[in-house]
């Protein structure tokens, strides 16, 4: 069995799953906005936070591991090499920005909102951090979409 086709397939599947997060995250945000009672809203927020945390950790690690393996086992690729495969170097830079955003903005904000909700904070107290999560997720989603577009279009401009 050849490892490369399996790894590239896994990389593509994880990227596709990541793109599905656009739809799921927007639905969860709409449910938060449209939830009637405070208890319902808090329940949906907690689900949104858990989902975002687990999802981002799994897909970011999955993409990182499979992407690194693709580069290591393909002699035509390299890390952050703009002179050859500039599309790949751009993807790698964008992915580093995604990882920084996940680990510096998203996860600490999720932790903060979770803690505030557990402490029965008012909506105003956790709303600021919830908006920060929404913005971090938006940036991550846009960069993930750009990475996906670089991947599927690089043959047209390489």
């Amino acid at each position: 069995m050849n490892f490369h086709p399996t790894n590239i397939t896994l990389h593509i599947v994880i990227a596709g799953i990541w793109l599905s997060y656009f739809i799921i995250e927007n639905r969860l945000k709409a449910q938060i906005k449209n939830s009637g009672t405070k208890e319902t809203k808090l329940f949906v927020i907690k689900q949104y936070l858990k989902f975002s945390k687990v999802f981002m950790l799994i897909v970011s690690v999955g993409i990182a591991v499979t992407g690194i393996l693709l580069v290591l086992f393909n002699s035509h690729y390299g890390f952050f090499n703009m002179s050859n495969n500039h599309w790949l170097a751009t993807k790698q830079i964008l992915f580093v920005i995604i990882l920084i955003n996940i680990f510096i903005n998203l996860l600490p904000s999720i932790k903060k909102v979770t803690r505030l909700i557990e402490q029965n904070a008012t909506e105003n107290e956790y709303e600021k951090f919830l908006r920060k999560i929404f913005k971090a997720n938006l940036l991550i989603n846009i960069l993930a979409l750009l990475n996906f577009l670089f991947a599927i279009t690089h043959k047209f401009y390489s």
Side-chain angles (χ1 to χ4, degrees), residues 18 21 25 48-49 51-57 60 98-114 129-141:
W18 197 331
Y21 184 73
E25 198 237 350
Y48 172 78
L49 297 174
F51 178 74
S52 292
K53 179 180 174 181
V54 170
F55 188 90
M56 285 298 175
L57 286 172
S60 64
I98 289 171
L99 289 178
I100 290 169
N101 201 25
I102 289 171
F103 289 101
I104 292 184
N105 289 330
L106 185 66
L107 295 179
S109 295
I110 288 173
K111 187 175 182 179
K112 181 74 172 175
V113 171
T114 303
F129 295 101
L130 193 57
R131 281 193 303 273
K132 188 174 179 180
I133 293 168
F134 292 162
K135 288 178 184 177
N137 271 329
L138 178 62
L139 177 62
I140 290 165
N141 288 336

Side-chain angles (χ1 to χ4, degrees), residues 6-24 55-56 58-67 70 91 95 98 140-141 143-152:
T6 303
N7 189 44
I8 198 162
T9 301
L10 189 57
H11 191 75
I12 291 168
V13 167
I14 294 169
I17 292 169
W18 197 331
L19 291 177
S20 71
Y21 184 73
F22 267 132
I23 298 164
I24 297 166
F55 188 90
M56 285 298 175
I58 290 171
V59 297
S60 64
V61 169
I63 287 291
V65 169
T66 56
L70 285 170
K91 282 176 54 64
F95 187 69
I98 289 171
I140 290 165
N141 288 336
L143 295 176
L145 179 60
L146 283 172
N147 264 354
F148 182 78
L149 292 173
F150 277 121
I152 63 172

Side-chain angles (χ1 to χ4, degrees), residues 34-87:
N34 298 326
S35 55
T37 66
K38 180 181 178 181
E39 292 79 24
T40 305
K41 184 173 186 173
L42 288 175
F43 175 78
V44 177
I45 289 171
K46 287 178 188 177
Q47 297 308 309
Y48 172 78
L49 297 174
K50 285 179 192 174
F51 178 74
S52 292
K53 179 180 174 181
V54 170
F55 188 90
M56 285 298 175
L57 286 172
I58 290 171
V59 297
S60 64
V61 169
I63 287 291
V65 169
T66 56
I68 289 168
L69 291 174
L70 285 170
V71 171
L72 290 176
F73 293 113
N74 190 330
S75 61
H76 300 293
Y77 295 154
F79 291 105
F80 305 103
N81 183 0
M82 279 294 188
S83 62
N84 189 16
N85 296 313
H86 59 281
W87 64 273

